[in-house]
């Protein structure tokens, strides 16, 4: 969770790594509410999509902008941009639907060729479904290493040009008899999160190449100090849990920032089992592991991360959950007193003990090696590594140069208690920018926001956001969180949908038909997700009708 890349909570919910365990835990926890044997669902797991869809490469120019001096020295070489496709449902006249995989290895998105929105749209339109990798991720890497100089071609503009180039040049194996390039064939773009913002810009910058695009949880507004990440969590999280998290975090901050004596700081770190974390900011940031896992909540049992709910049910439990903390009662009372909550000991003592027990159980006990090696962001040696295996560098480079999104606690207004430590400030959150890339000025968010920011719009461009998404304050639906964003009326050409109760691009996921029969209703996608997917299908079919009309119009001319 707390990663050396300085990447705090990535746009991608990093649950794939623990896929099997998380899935099992999710299913087991759901099973408490139902009578079905959860193991019968595991049997419905599909084949690994990598065995179903072979990977292909398209050779693409490394540098699309020889007129722009920021890419000097220019390159005239090409690199292999990876993609996968499924033409099972293709019928002549159907579109090509490209899911941009964003700031991650594209293989993680292949499930959406099997089920979920990409599959659903391909079936509905007789289209070809495509997953397209983003430059500098997965195997689509244009340079021999990730040195700062070689990362200069990693801009959203260059990657957008890749996708436009792809649409204009790809020849799909087995479909050579058809001309499936744009604009001969209509192209529909889809993306979630960073990729959602990406396809928004794609439609606006390449309107003659992409007939329409769908931006899901698209973070179209780049923001340097993105403290607002925690605002939807504060507003939609379980109120008691949120209050305890705020007060205990404030207690920790008071001890570290106001009391700030060697003894009390050592007492605090020791209580959490983190005595050897040298830097106070590193220590305080580890405590936010539970709060930071909100983004990983998903209706899809394959992807759901239950950590947030577990954290909250731990710290709101009225029982002391971990016997290992019974010896810490006096310490907890002492810390609460020194941290300014002496009058609330009776309320906060058990939550504090359970937070300590939970963190030891889920995080501290998993650290192998020194605690600094697990939790410290202060490590120049680490950041100076830039070989081809240091692929952690790509997204921090993008956010240090163009996107920002430093998820600080310090940015929270002074009259409000933050959910994470104020020691996580701009200085701390941008250590990676200085150490890894020698960048000491804020990201140039204008490079992104020039395309419209919150208020981007274009014909045949759909916006889908999650009501409770921590990225919503950077999305077009930010309005309740940011008055700069407008409220819109939804139309077929410019649909504007907010999925009630949803977090991060919940419309992207889906189930096999055989996973939806004979199961209790709470195993199905929530109704607002199904409604949104049905709406998107209807919208794209309507856009295809417009396409047919436009082609008929051309023939008449
Ligand atoms: C469920 O359907 C998927 C997709 O058709 C298929 O790959 C899978 O094998 C099926 N699972 C079972 C248990 O029938
Ligand atoms: C695609 O390109 C990558 C990187 O150059 C290479 O490792 C991979 O083998 C290529 N894949 C195919 C199917 O050609
Ligand atoms: C470079 O050319 C592209 C069109 O190919 C144009 O959109 C862009 O504004 C130009 N950039 C500069 C810096 O002149
Ligand atoms: C597809 O059609 C376009 C427009 O007619 C043409 O320029 C292009 O060469 C064709 N591509 C292929 C692979 O046939
Ligand atoms: C605590 O005090 C030391 C010494 O004055 C100072 O260097 C440090 O920045 C303080 N820590 C915090 C978190 O304010
Ligand atoms: C902390 O460091 C001390 C001294 O090196 C060591 O004995 C102890 O095991 C360490 N504790 C943890 C939890 O890493
Ligand atoms: C506390 O968290 C653990 C691990 O995350 C979880 O297994 C357990 O069910 C939680 N306990 C309570 C009372 O919520
Ligand atoms: C975590 O707590 C659970 C009970 O809540 C216990 O079964 C498990 O052994 C603990 N794990 C660790 C690593 O402490
Ligand atoms: C710093 O990073 C280097 C390189 O990854 C690693 O070998 C070293 O253990 C790290 N030091 C600390 C204190 O984490
Ligand atoms: C920031 O980006 C904009 C748009 O690309 C560009 O015009 C401007 O020169 C950049 N500013 C800096 C300081 O690089
Ligand atoms: C948009 O609508 C929401 C909910 O009705 C409201 O809270 C918000 O203030 C409105 N924003 C603007 C900019 O009008
Ligand atoms: C609203 O958006 C603007 C523009 O990106 C940003 O500067 C500001 O900090 C945001 N305000 C809030 C409350 O998030």
């Amino acid at each position: 969770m707390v990663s050396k890349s300085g990447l705090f909570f990535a746009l991608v919910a990093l649950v794939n790594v623990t896929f099997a365990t998380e899935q099992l835990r999710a299913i087991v926890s759901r099973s408490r509410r139902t009578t079905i044997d959860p193991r019968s669902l595991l049997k419905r797991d599909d084949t690994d999509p990598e065995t179903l869809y072979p990977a292909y490469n398209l050779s693409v120019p490394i540098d699309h902008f020889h007129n722009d001096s920021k890419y000097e020295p220019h390159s005239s070489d090409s690199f292999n941009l990876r993609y996968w496709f499924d033409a099972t449902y293709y019928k002549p006249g159907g579109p090509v639907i490209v899911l941009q995989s964003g700031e991650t290895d594209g293989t993680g998105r292949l499930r959406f060729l099997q089920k979920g929105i990409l599959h659903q749209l391909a079936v509905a339109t007789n289209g070809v479904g495509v997953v397209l990798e983003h430059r500098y991720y997965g195997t689509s890497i244009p340079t021999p290493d990730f040195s700062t100089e070689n990362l200069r071609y990693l801009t959203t503009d260059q990657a957008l040009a890749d996708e436009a180039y792809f649409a204009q040049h790809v020849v799909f194996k087995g479909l050579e008899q058809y001309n499936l390039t744009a604009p001969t064939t209509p192209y529909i773009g889809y993306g979630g999160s960073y990729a959602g913002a990406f396809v928004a810009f794609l439609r606006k910058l390449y309107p003659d190449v992409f007939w329409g695009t769908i931006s899901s949880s698209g973070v179209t507004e780049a923001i340097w100090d993105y403290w607002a990440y925690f605002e939807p969590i504060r507003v939609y999280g379980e109120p008691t849990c949120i209050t305890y998290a705020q007060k205990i975090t404030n207690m920790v901050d008071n001890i570290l920032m106001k009391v700030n004596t060697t003894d009390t700081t050592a007492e605090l770190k020791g209580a959490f089992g983190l005595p050897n974390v040298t830097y106070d900011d590193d220590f305080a940031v580890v405590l936010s592991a539970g709060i930071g896992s909100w983004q990983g909540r998903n209706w899809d049992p394959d992807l759901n991360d239950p950590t947030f709910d577990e954290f909250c049910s731990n710290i709101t439990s009225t029982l002391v959950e971990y016997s290992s903390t019974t010896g810490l009662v006096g310490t907890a009372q002492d810390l609460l007193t020194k941290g300014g909550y002496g009058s609330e000991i009776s309320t906060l003592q058990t939550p504090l003990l359970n937070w300590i027990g939970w963190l030891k159980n889920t995080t501290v006990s998993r650290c192998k090696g020194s605690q600094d090696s697990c939790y410290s962001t202060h490590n120049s040696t680490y950041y100076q590594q830039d070989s081809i295996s240091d692929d952690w560098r790509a997204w921090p480079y993008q956010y240090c140069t163009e996107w920002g999104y430093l998820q600080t606690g310090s940015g929270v207004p002074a009259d409000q208690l933050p959910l994470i430590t104020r020691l996580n400030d701009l200085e701390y959150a941008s250590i990676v920018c200085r150490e890894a890339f020698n960048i000491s000025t804020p990201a140039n968010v204008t490079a992104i926001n020039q395309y419209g920011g919150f208020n981007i719009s274009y014909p045949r461009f759909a916006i889908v956001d999650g009501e409770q998404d921590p990225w919503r304050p950077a999305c077009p639906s930010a309005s309740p969180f940011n008055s700069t964003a407008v409220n819109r009326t939804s139309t077929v050409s410019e649909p504007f949908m907010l999925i009630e109760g949803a977090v991060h691009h919940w419309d992207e996921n889906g189930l096999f038909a055989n996973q939806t029969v004979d199961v209790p209703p709470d195993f199905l996608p929530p109704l607002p997700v199904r409604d949104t997917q049905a709406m998107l299908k209807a919208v794209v079919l309507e856009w295809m009708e417009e396409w047919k009309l436009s082609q008929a119009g051309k023939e008449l001319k």
Side-chain angles (χ1 to χ4, degrees):
M1 185 59 67
V2 182
S3 112
K4 277 284 196 40
S5 67
L7 177 59
F8 195 47
F9 305 119
L11 282 156
V12 189
L14 294 170
V15 290
N16 288 351
V17 264
T18 49
F19 169 69
T21 351
E22 298 299 355
Q23 182 188 41
L24 197 62
R25 285 162 71 183
I27 287 173
V28 169
S29 72
R30 276 163 167 256
S31 71
R32 291 193 197 113
R33 289 180 279 133
T34 61
T35 49
I36 199 163
D37 175 1
R39 280 156 303 188
S40 68
L41 281 174
L42 282 179
K43 288 194 204 117
R44 300 184 186 206
D45 259 3
D46 193 48
T47 336
D48 177 355
E50 278 190 75
T51 63
L52 295 175
Y53 311 109
Y56 298 92
N57 288 321
L58 181 71
S59 181
V60 170
I62 293 177
D63 186 357
H64 296 275
F65 302 107
H66 284 252
N67 59 349
D68 191 334
S69 61
K70 82 177 183 193
Y71 300 110
E72 285 172 0
H74 292 288
S75 168
S76 300
D77 291 342
S78 295
F79 74 104
N80 283 334
L81 189 66
R82 184 162 60 158
Y83 66 98
W84 300 260
F85 70 95
D86 182 7
T88 310
Y89 311 98
Y90 179 70
K91 288 198 183 128
V96 174
I97 305 164
V98 183
L99 183 141
Q100 164 56 239
S101 80
E103 76 292 16
T104 180
D105 187 311
T107 51
R109 311 288 193 197
L110 291 185
R111 65 175 72 238
F112 304 123
L113 278 172
Q114 286 173 293
K115 51 184 179 177
I117 193 69
L118 178 59
H119 173 83
Q120 291 171 14
L121 292 176
V123 173
T125 59
N126 294 126
V128 178
V130 176
V131 171
L132 180 63
E133 200 159 66
H134 188 290
R135 59 166 56 201
Y136 287 91
Y137 296 91
T139 63
S140 303
I141 302 173
T143 52
D145 61 33
F146 290 100
S147 70
T148 306
E149 197 199 355
N150 279 338
L151 284 166
R152 72 188 178 283
Y153 305 116
L154 175 53
T155 61
T156 299
D157 281 340
Q158 293 277 10
L160 285 161
D162 289 342
E163 186 158 341
Y165 185 94
F166 174 87
Q168 291 168 300
H169 293 89
V170 69
V171 177
F172 294 104
K173 189 168 183 230
L175 300 172
E176 294 85 352
Q177 67 272 39
Y178 304 109
N179 188 332
L180 289 175
T181 58
T184 306
T185 292
Y187 267 68
I188 304 292
Y190 179 93
S193 192
Y194 162 72
F198 187 100
V199 300
F201 309 152
L202 189 65
R203 175 73 181 120
K204 194 159 178 177
L205 292 176
Y206 299 97
D208 301 329
V209 180
F210 275 78
W211 181 247
T213 65
I214 301 167
S215 171
S216 180
S217 293
V219 286
T220 53
E221 178 86 13
I223 303 173
W224 180 239
D225 187 348
Y226 191 50
W227 60 270
Y229 179 88
F230 300 98
E231 285 294 280
I233 308 174
R234 183 177 67 80
V235 170
Y236 295 107
E238 198 276 301
T240 308
C241 175
I242 296 303
T243 302
Y244 290 169
Q246 286 174 314
K247 290 185 175 178
I248 291 172
T249 299
N250 190 233
M251 182 268 303
V252 168
D253 281 358
N254 285 342
I255 288 175
L256 296 174
M257 299 166 83
K258 293 184 180 158
V259 180
N260 192 8
T261 61
T262 313
D263 289 354
T264 314
T265 297
E267 185 184 0
L268 177 66
K269 290 181 182 175
F272 277 94
L274 293 165
N276 296 345
V277 176
T278 307
Y279 293 89
D280 295 350
D281 44 20
D282 288 332
F283 161 75
V285 162
V286 181
L287 309 191
S288 43
I291 288 296
S293 62
W294 174 268
Q295 181 181 335
R297 294 166 61 237
N298 203 306
W299 67 267
D300 182 349
D302 279 3
L303 285 173
N304 180 50
D305 176 359
T307 304
F308 187 90
D309 293 341
E310 288 173 358
F311 167 71
C312 274
S313 76
N314 270 261
I315 70 163
T316 56
S317 170
T318 52
L319 306 172
V320 175
E321 295 286 336
Y322 300 88
S323 55
S324 61
T325 63
T326 48
L328 288 174
V329 171
T331 306
Q333 292 177 351
D334 192 43
L335 291 171
L336 286 166
T337 304
K338 288 173 177 160
Y341 287 90
S343 62
E344 295 185 48
I345 283 176
S346 60
T347 324
L348 296 179
Q349 173 181 314
T350 302
L352 174 57
L353 290 174
N354 285 339
W355 193 330
I356 289 170
W358 180 83
L359 197 76
K360 284 183 181 164
N361 185 294
T362 55
T363 304
V364 178
S365 60
R366 289 187 192 174
C367 171
K368 311 283 175 241
S370 78
Q371 293 191 323
D372 278 342
S373 75
C374 292
Y375 305 117
S376 185
T377 296
H378 302 269
N379 186 341
S380 304
T381 315
Y382 179 79
Y383 290 125
Q384 275 149 25
Q385 295 169 312
D386 60 11
S387 76
I388 197 70
S389 61
D390 292 301
D391 57 358
W392 59 266
R393 287 172 73 88
W395 178 240
Y397 181 80
Q398 288 198 261
Y399 71 70
C400 291
T401 52
E402 298 189 319
W403 288 87
Y405 295 146
L406 305 183
Q407 293 146 31
T408 69
S410 59
V412 172
D415 61 357
Q416 189 180 312
L417 290 181
L419 282 169
I420 68 154
T421 177
R422 286 192 190 273
L423 286 176
N424 189 359
D425 57 10
L426 289 173
E427 179 78 9
Y428 180 79
S430 62
I431 288 175
V432 61
C433 303
R434 294 186 297 280
E435 298 277 351
F437 314 116
N438 199 22
I439 295 171
S440 51
T441 50
N444 183 7
V445 292
T446 307
I448 300 303
N449 293 336
Q450 62 176 332
Y451 300 132
F454 288 128
N455 297 331
I456 189 169
S457 70
Y458 210 84
R460 287 191 303 276
F461 165 56
I463 294 165
V464 182
D465 289 336
E467 181 193 32
Q468 305 186 3
D469 190 348
W471 293 100
R472 184 174 167 195
C475 291
S477 65
S479 166
F481 296 98
N482 197 313
S483 56
T484 323
V486 294
N487 284 327
R488 322 180 183 216
T489 311
S490 190
T491 65
V492 171
S493 177
E494 300 187 39
F496 184 59
M497 296 177 244
L498 189 66
I499 312 178
E500 190 191 330
V503 186
H504 208 39
H505 50 75
W506 277 14
D507 59 305
E508 196 162 351
N509 302 65
L511 298 174
F512 292 126
N514 61 21
Q515 292 173 306
T516 64
V517 290
D518 299 332
V519 295
D522 69 341
F523 280 82
L524 296 174
L527 197 56
V529 170
R530 279 181 277 162
D531 284 349
T532 303
Q533 291 177 331
M535 193 82 90
L536 288 175
K537 271 188 272 184
V539 160
V540 174
L541 285 170
E542 191 61 34
W543 292 355
M544 288 304 296
E545 288 304 311
E546 274 183 52
W547 167 263
K548 284 175 201 151
L549 284 174
S550 78
Q551 297 306 103
K554 272 186 197 159
E555 276 162 28
L556 283 176
K557 273 179 200 158

